[in-house]
Amino acid sequence: MKRFFYPFLAGLLLLTFQATLLASLPVHRIRPDVVLILILFLGFSYPTVLGGLIAFSLGFLLDLFSGNALGLYTFTRPLIFFVAQLFRSHFYWKGFSFQFLFVFIFAILEGGLILLLVSGLNPVPFHNLYTSVLADLLFQSIVTGLFTPILFPLFEKGSIFLATQQRVAIKRQG
Amino acid sequence: MRIRALSFFRRYHIPTFIIVLLLFGLVLMSLRVKQRQGVAFFDALFMELTSPVQKAATFVIKTIHGVFQHYVFLVHLEKENELLRRRIAEFQEENHQMKEMVMANDRLRKLLQFRENMPASTIAAQVIGQDPTSWFKSVTINKGEGDGVQKGMAVISPEGVVGQILKTSPHYATVLLMTDYNSAIDAIIQRTRAKAIVEGKEENRCQLKYLLRTEEVAVGDIVITSGLGGVFPKGLMVGEIRSVDKKSHGVFQYADLVPGVDLTKLEEVLILSAAPPPPPRLEEKEKKVKKISAGSSKKK
């Protein structure tokens, strides 16, 4: 239960951080998607079922607080988590360049997927969508990528702390 | 047979879970697409549970922001002036608080005056959070269904149009801003009375569409609501035209406009709880014309 609750709480706090402090920055385009970074971290370090459920719940919350009425993130966030899991045993994910590139590519891919879904699901095509989203997508993904080397070690420390606590609890019980 | 099914499930339980979860996401999405609204009960429940966190965070951020701007910058002054510095800091803090109060007072007075002038009844609300994603433009406010807020209601401020209510929970609501690409508002150009549709374009930018090429439009023209959509009352400021794109061909011309309200610095808003009076129908107009003409013929 704790293994679900703590990362979910961390995600909720990051979501609040994203919707309040990061949203109040003077340059609105520079808004890293910190929840995406958490989900990608979980993709590397968490089991499929638990991580999938956390990604799903955070996607649902993201949909709730955004102006998106279609529920896109409830679908894309678990999908991104599962795709990230495919890479977990193939890469050494602790280097700066890999972390940056990995999150940058995933941010771009998710942006593309959202663009596809939005244009596919809306009966009337949005001409403005492409100009605004494509102009921001690259910039936004770079900023998200740059935040990764700061957040990944923090998440790692948190997960080590959680694992240690669990071990101590097991020892006490045993 | 049963054992075989059980061992099959054991072997493939992770792929099954992945497929079920993604299918569930797709089902939720299709439900929302079909109804053009959220899965109302769950949306309201989760919004109610998580919005207080957002509200608290906004309060903390505002407080820290104030302290940083008016206190922390004094830390590097000389030690001899410590006492004086503290007093200055205290005064500055006090001054800042008073200025904040005066500014809030001004804003609220303006809001109140505007509210009194509005034909429809209004609900005042505070912005407690902004859209966490960069793709959509929305804000969360601290008023919900319990305060009379309903989906589709118009949201305005003394400077003009803000947007529309997108989702509601008992105590909170999400407002779709006019700059979101999903937003469309029926508008007219104040000077020429030319009709057009204002659609969201990007950060604090909108586009004027379906504006006939024959209409005269210039940079600096003010765009107001037409009152025809049935959501916004007529005559509210929408924005100011910044550029006009008159193509060499086609029926329409396009223009970019900056909203009258700075949507990136939104703090308080008003929600129109009663719909504006609908524009008179053609039949009613015809009846009125007939009555007038009958009255005039009787007089004759």
Side-chain angles (χ1 to χ4, degrees), chain B residues 72-90:
Chain B
V72 173
F73 295 142
L74 298 174
V75 164
H76 299 296
L77 287 178
E78 290 173 24
K79 278 186 179 176
E80 300 104 75
N81 296 326
E82 201 174 339
L83 189 69
L84 276 173
R85 198 184 57 172
R86 272 188 201 161
R87 289 189 70 184
I88 290 169
E90 277 170 20

Side-chain angles (χ1 to χ4, degrees), chain A residues 8 12-13 15-16 18-21 23-24 28-29 31 33 48-50 52-53 56 60-75 78-79 82 107 110-111 114 117-118 121-123 126-129 131-134 136-137 140, chain B residues 13-14 17-18 21-26 28-30 32-33 36-39 42-44 46-47 50-51 53-55 57-58 61 128-138 140 166-167 174 176 180-182 199-203 207 209-210 264:
Chain A
F8 176 72
L12 181 63
L13 287 175
L15 181 71
T16 310
Q18 208 166 299
T20 51
L21 187 66
S24 64
H28 280 255
R29 282 182 186 181
R31 199 192 303 174
D33 194 340
T48 312
V49 175
L50 210 56
L53 284 174
F56 182 85
F60 187 85
L61 285 182
L62 209 59
D63 277 329
L64 204 63
F65 286 108
S66 76
N68 145 39
L70 301 171
L72 304 171
Y73 290 101
T74 317
F75 175 68
L79 183 67
F82 294 132
E110 194 195 32
I114 285 173
L117 287 170
V118 168
L121 293 172
N122 277 299
F126 297 115
H127 302 293
N128 291 341
L129 180 72
T131 49
S132 63
V133 169
L134 288 176
D136 292 347
L137 181 60
Q140 152 98 11
Chain B
H13 76 279
I14 287 179
F17 170 78
I18 294 173
L21 199 71
L22 291 178
L23 272 178
F24 190 53
L26 279 175
L28 275 179
M29 205 194 298
S30 70
R32 287 172 199 263
V33 172
R36 285 276 146 191
Q37 61 182 35
V39 187
F42 286 107
D43 278 1
F46 280 98
M47 207 167 180
T50 48
S51 287
V53 184
Q54 219 174 45
K55 199 176 168 183
T58 306
I61 287 160
I128 59 160
Q130 294 195 28
D131 200 310
T133 69
S134 296
W135 313 110
F136 306 97
K137 311 276 179 282
S138 70
T140 310
L166 181 71
K167 299 169 198 166
T174 307
L176 184 76
D180 190 281
Y181 65 87
N182 274 304
E199 283 187 2
K201 194 177 179 187
E202 55 191 71
E203 203 73 55
Q207 194 179 35
K209 285 176 124 180
Y210 310 111
T264 58

Side-chain angles (χ1 to χ4, degrees), chain B residues 1-17:
Chain B
M1 187 69 186
R2 211 173 158 185
I3 294 166
R4 192 180 275 182
L6 207 70
S7 69
F8 176 84
F9 180 75
R10 264 190 198 165
R11 189 185 285 176
Y12 296 108
H13 76 279
I14 287 179
T16 314
F17 170 78

Side-chain angles (χ1 to χ4, degrees), chain A residues 2-173:
Chain A
K2 269 184 189 173
R3 290 203 76 192
F4 174 83
F5 186 69
Y6 283 126
F8 176 72
L9 201 69
L12 181 63
L13 287 175
L14 287 175
L15 181 71
T16 310
F17 179 67
Q18 208 166 299
T20 51
L21 187 66
L22 291 179
S24 64
L25 287 174
V27 186
H28 280 255
R29 282 182 186 181
I30 306 177
R31 199 192 303 174
D33 194 340
V34 284
V35 181
L36 177 73
I37 300 174
L38 175 70
I39 285 167
L40 288 173
F41 174 80
L42 293 178
F44 276 110
S45 59
Y46 249 61
T48 312
V49 175
L50 210 56
L53 284 174
I54 295 168
F56 182 85
S57 320
L58 289 176
F60 187 85
L61 285 182
L62 209 59
D63 277 329
L64 204 63
F65 286 108
S66 76
N68 145 39
L70 301 171
L72 304 171
Y73 290 101
T74 317
F75 175 68
T76 60
R77 288 289 145 113
L79 183 67
I80 277 200
F81 169 81
F82 294 132
V83 176
Q85 281 225 315
L86 296 177
F87 295 94
R88 68 194 289 179
S89 52
H90 301 291
F91 292 100
Y92 175 72
W93 57 275
K94 295 195 176 175
F96 168 84
S97 46
F98 175 74
Q99 287 176 359
F100 169 76
L101 266 177
F102 187 73
V103 172
F104 170 73
I105 290 167
F106 268 83
I108 293 263
L109 285 177
E110 194 195 32
L113 183 62
I114 285 173
L115 205 62
L116 269 177
L117 287 170
V118 168
S119 27
L121 293 172
N122 277 299
V124 188
F126 297 115
H127 302 293
N128 291 341
L129 180 72
Y130 293 96
T131 49
S132 63
V133 169
L134 288 176
D136 292 347
L137 181 60
L138 195 70
F139 205 51
Q140 152 98 11
S141 306
I142 290 172
V143 177
T144 306
L146 286 173
F147 260 67
T148 314
I150 305 165
L151 289 177
F152 260 37
L154 282 177
F155 295 151
E156 205 184 347
K157 274 184 186 168
S159 67
I160 289 169
F161 175 73
L162 259 181
T164 321
Q165 269 204 330
Q166 231 174 359
R167 252 181 254 144
V168 170
I170 291 166
K171 267 186 186 175
R172 271 184 199 160
Q173 279 176 352

